Amino acid sequence: MVTPPNIIRDISQFTFGYVDYGVFVFMLCISASIGVYFGFFAKSADTTEEYLHGGKQMKTLPIAISLVASQLSGISIMTIPAELYTFGITWCFNVVSMILIVPILIWIVIPVFYNNNITNCYEYLEIRFNRQTRQIQTVAFMSTLFLFLPVFIFIPSLAFSQVSGFNIHLINVIVCAICVFYTMFGGIKAVVWTDVVQGTIMVISVALVCILGVIKVGGIGEVLRLAQEGQRLHVNFELDATTRMTFWNAFISSTLTWVAYVGLNQSCVQRIVSLPTLKNAQNSLFIFGAGFLLIMFFTSFTGVVMYARYYDCDPLTAGYVSKADKLMPFFVQDVAGHLRGMPGIFISCVFSAALSTMSAGMNSLAGVVYIDYIKPYIRHTERRANFIMKTFVFLTGCYCIVGGTVVEKFSSILQLIYSIGGVTFGSVIGVFMLGMLVPRAHGRAAICGVISSLLFMLYIVTASQGRNHYEPLPSSVEACPALNVTTIPLFSNLSLSHNHNTSIDKGFNILDLSFNWYVTLGTIIVFAVGIPLSYILPPDKGTKFDVKLLSPIIQPFVKYELAETEEVVEVVMANMKT
């Protein structure tokens, strides 16, 4: 039986009690105590290798859990259910793509790093191409992460503010301080082990919220029936490039994005290569894929359950919440607010996701900045290196607090993330795959491809801001108890059931391209420019080629002669046959 229409209580009745505060504070204390342990009590060498890679003696399962936790940021927990609630189930193909992503990482990407003893993924670009290519990509990495980090921490602060009434920026300061503390003093070991604790909290809380929501609605069958009637189970297979979300742009772009973000991003590669052997890394990625699918199933399905719960009284249209990104905490209070401590567990979940992503990002960012831009210009000592990296982590935390004031002004956080990543992720996966899969590719061609991709995508992303507006699927306020429904349409946006860009009738314009195609387009540009120029332009003088720098799936098809394992062989490009 469906719950009666008057399911939404007045927002003023929503409370965050003492038990909830206790649960939340307990989670923060655990994170801080892990930092204290690894920073001050654990016996380990005070070296850069230890701080960044745990002495390459990390364990398989903790690394896998850490990867899951850091990929599922607070953005995922908060915005993915809101995405499915607002635009339907098509987004789920971002999750399905993981069945293709894990094999790509295991057999194409990660073996190259292990076979060449590479711990900084951007070092590969210098060895395979030249230093200029490495510098361009490290700048792109740092720029992207600097834009991401304030978003990562702002989302959970938004959730906490929604349920507690606390000032959002005060929360930002407190939580950033905790994150900076354990990242500064504990290094990668503290990052990984806090991720283990936080990942466990995430799985439990997201699963509980989803299950409680299903029970409130009346069972899975009722959830699916209401979602089907509300068009939330409709999968869009259109080939129109301006449509916001289709099967094609969700699956293709998410495959490229996750390969770039997990396998070719230093914040993740740093943890993967902290494992002692390639076999450990591959096993860890298998576990990561399974864990990712599990938690993302609950996260995604929660969005469908939310719609079934509010199918006849949309909290957004009714004014109970001001933006879609606040729907999840509203839903938690509605279905689990009567359970003492449950809102606190959920908020802990959101903060856990944010802290894991933020700490991993700050740790890797400090390593890249020091190794690439500070170490070459100073007299390196381990003590000095650790001091500089810890100082950089502290300054980054301060920046995240200030950056939250800017993030607050954006209406769609998920679209913001896709837009930021759209500028750089395409060039990242494009240049790495150019190096690993195209034997004839060389530095000059790679640089031209990367620069072309970055400039073109930067233009598209910036020029299209404010131009494209995507309307949500229909929603109803028919059963809202406190509204005069005669003044509000019972259904909104009825004519936009396929969530088209409203400007498509004017003819195609590249600026109307869906943001879900950004990464794909950026990747295509690298290949479209880089491959032809590898044949047209001569390589830099002294360019050398080593088969070990190619992916294992390509090596058997490379016909030029190789030297001994440790010897680099110079090959004349004109005689290379692939």
Side-chain angles (χ1 to χ4, degrees), residues 223-239:
V223 169
L224 296 178
R225 183 187 70 81
L226 293 171
Q228 179 65 38
E229 290 179 359
Q231 305 179 33
R232 264 57 181 184
L233 300 186
H234 169 76
V235 177
N236 194 324
F237 289 97
E238 294 183 11
L239 295 175

Side-chain angles (χ1 to χ4, degrees), residues 30 110 117 239 291 302 308 351 393 416 460-461 509 516 521 567:
I30 290 177
I110 298 303
N117 195 29
L239 295 175
T302 298
F351 271 101
V393 168
L416 172 64
I460 289 179
V461 171
N509 185 309
N516 283 293
L521 180 58
E567 185 178 348

Side-chain angles (χ1 to χ4, degrees), residues 187-265:
I188 191 65
K189 288 184 177 179
V191 169
V192 168
W193 283 105
T194 51
D195 284 352
V196 171
V197 174
Q198 292 159 356
T200 304
I201 295 171
M202 288 161 59
V203 173
I204 293 173
S205 60
V206 170
L208 277 175
V209 168
C210 183
I211 292 168
L212 289 170
V214 170
I215 294 171
K216 281 279 190 180
V217 172
I220 291 179
E222 188 65 17
V223 169
L224 296 178
R225 183 187 70 81
L226 293 171
Q228 179 65 38
E229 290 179 359
Q231 305 179 33
R232 264 57 181 184
L233 300 186
H234 169 76
V235 177
N236 194 324
F237 289 97
E238 294 183 11
L239 295 175
D240 185 354
T242 63
T243 301
R244 182 184 188 275
M245 187 82 68
T246 68
F247 164 82
W248 308 105
N249 63 29
F251 188 86
I252 295 172
S253 279
S254 64
T255 300
L256 297 175
T257 299
W258 285 112
V259 168
Y261 195 69
V262 179
L264 303 171
N265 181 296

Side-chain angles (χ1 to χ4, degrees), residues 404-448:
T405 60
V406 178
V407 177
E408 187 179 19
K409 302 182 185 302
F410 287 87
S411 59
S412 175
I413 301 298
L414 189 65
Q415 188 167 332
L416 172 64
I417 287 294
Y418 273 68
S419 297
I420 294 173
V423 176
T424 59
F425 283 175
S427 72
V428 169
I429 191 170
V431 73
F432 274 99
M433 291 298 98
L434 195 68
M436 294 180 183
L437 302 180
V438 183
R440 189 155 184 168
H442 55 77
R444 286 181 176 175
I447 273 194
C448 291

Side-chain angles (χ1 to χ4, degrees), residues 356-370:
S356 63
T357 308
M358 185 176 175
S359 61
M362 290 194 298
N363 184 265
S364 62
L365 189 60
V368 168
V369 170
Y370 178 76

Side-chain angles (χ1 to χ4, degrees), residues 125-425:
L125 296 178
E126 182 172 0
I127 299 172
R128 178 67 176 86
F129 295 125
N130 49 43
R131 182 158 183 80
Q132 291 74 23
T133 305
R134 174 179 181 171
Q135 289 175 330
I136 290 172
Q137 285 301 335
T138 54
V139 169
F141 164 74
M142 292 187 297
S143 302
T144 303
L145 201 52
F146 262 104
L147 292 173
F148 274 162
L149 285 174
V151 184
F152 290 148
I153 201 63
F154 177 81
I155 285 293
S157 299
L158 185 70
F160 192 87
S161 176
Q162 172 78 8
V163 299
S164 69
F166 271 76
N167 181 277
I168 193 169
H169 301 296
L170 175 62
I171 303 164
N172 235 0
V173 171
I174 295 171
V175 178
C176 279
I178 298 290
C179 186
V180 167
F181 175 78
Y182 74 74
T183 307
M184 274 180 64
F185 294 105
I188 191 65
K189 288 184 177 179
V191 169
V192 168
W193 283 105
T194 51
D195 284 352
V196 171
V197 174
Q198 292 159 356
T200 304
I201 295 171
M202 288 161 59
V203 173
I204 293 173
S205 60
V206 170
L208 277 175
V209 168
C210 183
I211 292 168
L212 289 170
V214 170
I215 294 171
K216 281 279 190 180
V217 172
I220 291 179
E222 188 65 17
V223 169
L224 296 178
R225 183 187 70 81
L226 293 171
Q228 179 65 38
E229 290 179 359
Q231 305 179 33
R232 264 57 181 184
L233 300 186
H234 169 76
V235 177
N236 194 324
F237 289 97
E238 294 183 11
L239 295 175
D240 185 354
T242 63
T243 301
R244 182 184 188 275
M245 187 82 68
T246 68
F247 164 82
W248 308 105
N249 63 29
F251 188 86
I252 295 172
S253 279
S254 64
T255 300
L256 297 175
T257 299
W258 285 112
V259 168
Y261 195 69
V262 179
L264 303 171
N265 181 296
Q266 183 57 19
S267 65
C268 295
V269 172
Q270 177 180 338
R271 278 167 287 170
I272 295 172
V273 300
S274 296
L275 292 161
T277 67
L278 174 59
K279 187 65 176 177
N280 291 133
Q282 291 172 326
N283 290 339
S284 183
L285 285 168
F286 267 120
I287 298 170
F288 156 75
F292 181 91
L293 288 171
L294 174 65
I295 194 169
M296 289 303 289
F297 166 78
F298 284 112
T299 304
S300 301
F301 193 64
T302 298
V304 178
V305 176
M306 273 202 305
Y307 175 77
R309 177 70 171 161
Y310 304 130
Y311 76 99
D312 57 356
C313 186
D314 174 31
L316 282 168
T317 307
Y320 288 102
V321 294
S322 59
K323 57 198 305 185
D325 297 322
K326 292 184 177 182
L327 275 171
M328 190 60 177
F330 181 91
F331 177 70
V332 171
Q333 286 284 16
D334 183 27
V335 302
H338 63 287
L339 299 176
R340 181 172 290 187
M342 188 59 207
I345 292 175
F346 171 73
I347 294 299
S348 297
C349 161
V350 178
F351 271 101
S352 294
L355 289 172
S356 63
T357 308
M358 185 176 175
S359 61
M362 290 194 298
N363 184 265
S364 62
L365 189 60
V368 168
V369 170
Y370 178 76
I371 291 171
D372 282 56
Y373 294 98
I374 298 178
K375 184 178 178 180
Y377 305 104
I378 65 170
R379 185 174 63 85
H380 170 77
T381 65
E382 296 296 342
R383 183 175 181 180
R384 178 177 294 178
N386 280 347
F387 173 78
I388 292 173
M389 287 189 289
K390 290 174 181 178
T391 302
F392 186 82
V393 168
F394 172 76
L395 295 176
T396 303
C398 295
Y399 155 76
C400 289
I401 294 171
V402 176
T405 60
V406 178
V407 177
E408 187 179 19
K409 302 182 185 302
F410 287 87
S411 59
S412 175
I413 301 298
L414 189 65
Q415 188 167 332
L416 172 64
I417 287 294
Y418 273 68
S419 297
I420 294 173
V423 176
T424 59
F425 283 175

